[in-house]
Amino acid sequence: MDSVPTIHVLEKADYTKQHIVSLPNALSLPPLAPFSVRVKTSLISLTANNLTYARVGHLFGWWDVHPLPPSIPDTFKDASKYGRISGWGYGEIIESNVPEIQTGKQLFGYIPIGTLPVDLEVKLPGAKNQVLVTSPHRQRLLPIYNRYFLALSKAENPAPATHLGYDSLMQVLFETAYHMNRHVFAWDDTKRIHPTGAAALPWSPSDAALTDATIVIFAASSKTALSFAHQLRHNRPADAQPRTIIGVSSAASQPFTDATGFYDRVLLYADQEAARAAAASSPKVVLVDFGARGDALATWHAALAPSAAQIAVVGVGGEVRPMGAEEVTRARLAREAALSLVQVNASGLRDKALEMGEEAWLEEFLAAWGRFKDAGGVPGVELRWAEGMEEWAKAWEGLAQGRIGPETGLLFWL
Ligand SMILES: NC(=O)c1ccc[n+]([C@@H]2O[C@H](COP(=O)([O-])OP(=O)(O)OC[C@H]3O[C@@H](n4cnc5c(N)ncnc54)[C@H](OP(=O)(O)O)[C@@H]3O)[C@@H](O)[C@H]2O)c1
C-alpha cells in the first residue's frame, strides 16, 4: 500500500455529521496474526440499511465491529462521541496466512468503510466457500456479520459487473426477504421460523399463513421491501400466495415503485382509506414495516383493524431519520407494545435456516438470488458507480438528506 488510508467516521449522536479521516500514521501495518487474512474493501454499497447501522448501532454492537484504529488523530479519539459503521460488499485479500485463502481472492460480507485494511482471524467451517471470523472482539456480534463468502479475484471472476454490483447493493437485503417468504410466512410447515429466529417464541402455522391475505408493505420502494414483494409472487406456490400486495410509499417514490410491477397497487402513506375494502374482504391483513415515514404504520393499523378479520404487524426497518440512542430504544419498545409488532432479525433467521442444513441453504438461497439477478434485479434501478471516499461522503449526505431516490443503486470502488 502506498497512499495514505482514509476512513469514514460518524458522530454517534447524529449520523448526518460525518468525517473522512486521513490516517498518515496507520502504515506500516503490524505483522498478520496466525490464521488471519488482511482485507481491503474493494466494492461497497450504500442504502438506508447503512443509516440503520448508525441509528441503532448501540443496540447491536455495530459501532464496535471496526473500532477507531490506534492511528486515529486526537480530534476523533473519543469513542463515546465518534465511531465507524460498516457496509456490505467485496474486500480483496491483500495478505493471508491461511493456505485455503490466497492473496488476490475476494471476500463478500460486512466490510469497513474506508481504505484502511482490516485483519480478520478466521476459520473455515467446511461448507463451500464459507469463512467465519473468530477475532475475539467480534464474538458478541450477531453471527451474520461474522460470516463471509470466499469469491474469485476480480480478474478471475466471470460474473458481469452488474451482478457484482447487485451482490453488494442488495444480496443481504434480498436474503432477509427470502427468509421472510420461505420461513416466517412458511407454506411448508417444516420450514417455519419465528421472525427473530428464536425457537422459544411462539409463531404458529396460523401466524405463518398468507393464503388469500392482504399484505401491506410500508417503505415499499426500499430494496428489502421490493425483494419481499418479489419473493411473495415468484418464489411461493400459487395456492399459498396473498390475494393482494399493497405497497405504501412517499409521493416521490410512488412512480418508480409502481413501475417495478412487484405490487398489485402502490398507495401513499396518507391513503389508508383506499385499502379498507381489500382488507375487509381478506381472511387476514399483515402490515409489514420496512421503515414507514411518520406515524403511517399506526394510522393504517387504526384504519384497517376494525374491519379486518385478523391483523398482524411485522417490523423490519425503522423510519429513516437521525435519532438519539434513547429515542430509538423508546420508539422501538413503544411500537412493539402498541401494535403487538413482531420484529424480524435477519441474523436469527439465517442461523435457524442454517440449522436446517447448511449446504442445502447455500444451494437454495444462492439459486434464488441468481435467478433474481439473471432476471435483471429490480426494474428501474440504475446502478450508479463511483470511486473513492469523497464520493462516498457526498452520497452519504445525499441519502441522509433524502435527496437520493429509490431508483439509484449507490456503489463505490475504493
Ligand atoms: N430487521 C432486519 O434484519 C433488516 C434486514 C434488512 C434490512 N432492514 C431494514 O430495512 C429498511 C430498508 O432498508 P433498504 O436498505 O432496503 O432501504 P433503501 O433501499 O435505501 O430504501 C429506503 C426507503 O426509505 C425512504 N427513504 C430514503 N431516504 C430517506 C430519508 N433520508 N428520509 C426519509 N425516508 C427516506 C424511501 O422510501 P419512501 O420514499 O417510499 O418512503 C426509500 O426507498 C432499513 O430500515 C433496514 O435497516 C432490516
Side-chain angles (χ1 to χ4, degrees):
M1 275 190 52
D2 40 21
S3 61
V4 173
T6 54
I7 57 170
H8 190 228
V9 172
L10 294 173
E11 299 195 15
K12 287 182 170 176
D14 178 357
Y15 64 59
T16 63
K17 297 190 178 133
Q18 57 166 339
H19 307 269
I20 301 298
V21 178
S22 295
L23 304 169
N25 300 324
L27 306 174
S28 56
L29 298 164
L32 200 56
F35 225 75
S36 295
V37 292
R38 181 160 289 162
V39 183
K40 183 177 169 297
T41 297
S42 56
L43 175 63
I44 190 164
S45 67
L46 173 57
T47 75
N49 192 39
N50 298 92
L51 305 180
T52 303
Y53 291 137
R55 194 178 56 245
V56 199
H58 62 293
L59 296 180
F60 295 97
W62 289 324
W63 293 111
D64 308 327
V65 183
H66 298 113
L68 297 171
S71 57
I72 192 95
D74 284 349
T75 325
F76 300 105
K77 261 202 157 53
D78 181 355
S80 67
K81 189 166 179 210
Y82 298 102
R84 304 172 70 193
I85 53 113
S86 314
W88 292 94
Y90 285 94
E92 182 171 328
I93 309 286
I94 57 169
E95 218 181 309
S96 170
N97 52 30
V98 182
E100 295 85 348
I101 307 179
Q102 291 108 31
T103 305
K105 301 277 185 206
Q106 301 267 330
L107 278 187
F108 173 82
Y110 198 57
I111 49 176
I113 303 167
T115 57
L116 179 70
V118 62
D119 290 359
L120 305 174
E121 285 176 41
V122 298
K123 69 176 180 192
L124 307 174
K128 197 173 169 214
N129 295 333
Q130 299 296 290
V131 178
L132 302 183
V133 172
T134 55
S135 306
H137 81 280
R138 290 177 54 147
Q139 295 318 298
R140 71 186 189 90
L141 278 181
L142 291 167
I144 196 170
Y145 304 104
N146 280 332
R147 178 180 282 259
Y148 291 78
F149 291 68
L150 184 61
L152 296 171
S153 71
K154 261 198 244 178
E156 292 165 333
N157 200 327
T162 50
H163 277 218
L164 299 180
Y166 258 100
D167 292 344
S168 177
L169 186 67
M170 55 184 285
Q171 177 173 322
V172 165
L173 308 177
F174 180 92
E175 183 189 324
T176 304
Y178 169 88
H179 286 145
M180 288 171 65
N181 176 57
R182 190 83 186 84
H183 296 292
V184 174
F185 298 108
W187 60 91
D188 167 355
D189 201 45
T190 63
K191 302 285 184 194
R192 177 166 41 89
I193 302 175
H194 185 275
T196 60
L201 294 175
W203 189 255
S204 68
S206 146
D207 292 324
L210 282 190
T211 306
D212 281 338
T214 294
I215 310 289
V216 184
I217 294 181
F218 296 86
S221 58
S222 65
K223 289 156 202 74
T224 319
L226 287 160
S227 304
F228 181 52
H230 176 275
Q231 289 293 284
L232 288 174
R233 285 287 183 243
H234 297 278
N235 200 7
R236 195 174 180 88
D239 63 0
Q241 289 193 14
R243 189 182 305 163
T244 313
I245 306 176
I246 297 174
V248 184
S249 82
S250 65
S253 300
Q254 190 193 33
F256 157 80
T257 313
D258 207 13
T260 62
F262 289 0
Y263 298 95
D264 298 312
R265 300 167 73 185
V266 181
L267 300 173
L268 302 181
Y269 289 118
D271 281 348
Q272 60 271 24
E273 297 304 325
R276 242 191 236 268
S281 65
S282 300
K284 180 179 187 180
V285 177
V286 185
L287 309 182
V288 190
D289 184 22
F290 291 87
R293 293 187 190 237
D295 60 358
L297 184 64
T299 55
W300 277 70
H301 188 269
L304 302 187
S307 53
Q310 195 191 339
I311 190 161
V313 186
V314 172
V316 186
E319 190 180 2
V320 186
R321 66 179 172 87
M323 289 183 218
E326 273 178 36
E327 187 188 357
V328 168
T329 310
R330 228 182 308 115
R332 281 174 75 91
L333 293 174
R335 74 183 203 148
E336 282 179 25
L339 303 173
S340 301
L341 176 148
V342 185
Q343 183 70 29
V344 162
N345 181 320
S347 188
L349 282 174
R350 183 200 269 180
D351 292 345
K352 278 283 165 293
L354 282 169
E355 281 174 19
M356 293 175 179
E358 187 167 355
E359 295 287 359
W361 174 78
L362 276 169
E363 196 180 316
E364 285 173 30
F365 166 66
L366 291 175
W369 175 234
R371 285 194 298 275
F372 182 78
K373 286 186 292 187
D374 287 341
V378 180
V381 162
E382 187 195 330
L383 300 183
R384 189 197 286 175
W385 302 87
E387 201 171 323
M389 291 300 294
E390 292 302 326
E391 291 300 317
W392 169 276
K394 279 190 220 159
W396 180 274
E397 189 186 334
L399 188 69
Q401 307 291 343
R403 293 197 309 270
I404 295 176
E407 66 289 345
T408 303
L410 296 167
L411 292 164
F412 304 86
W413 295 110
L414 297 186

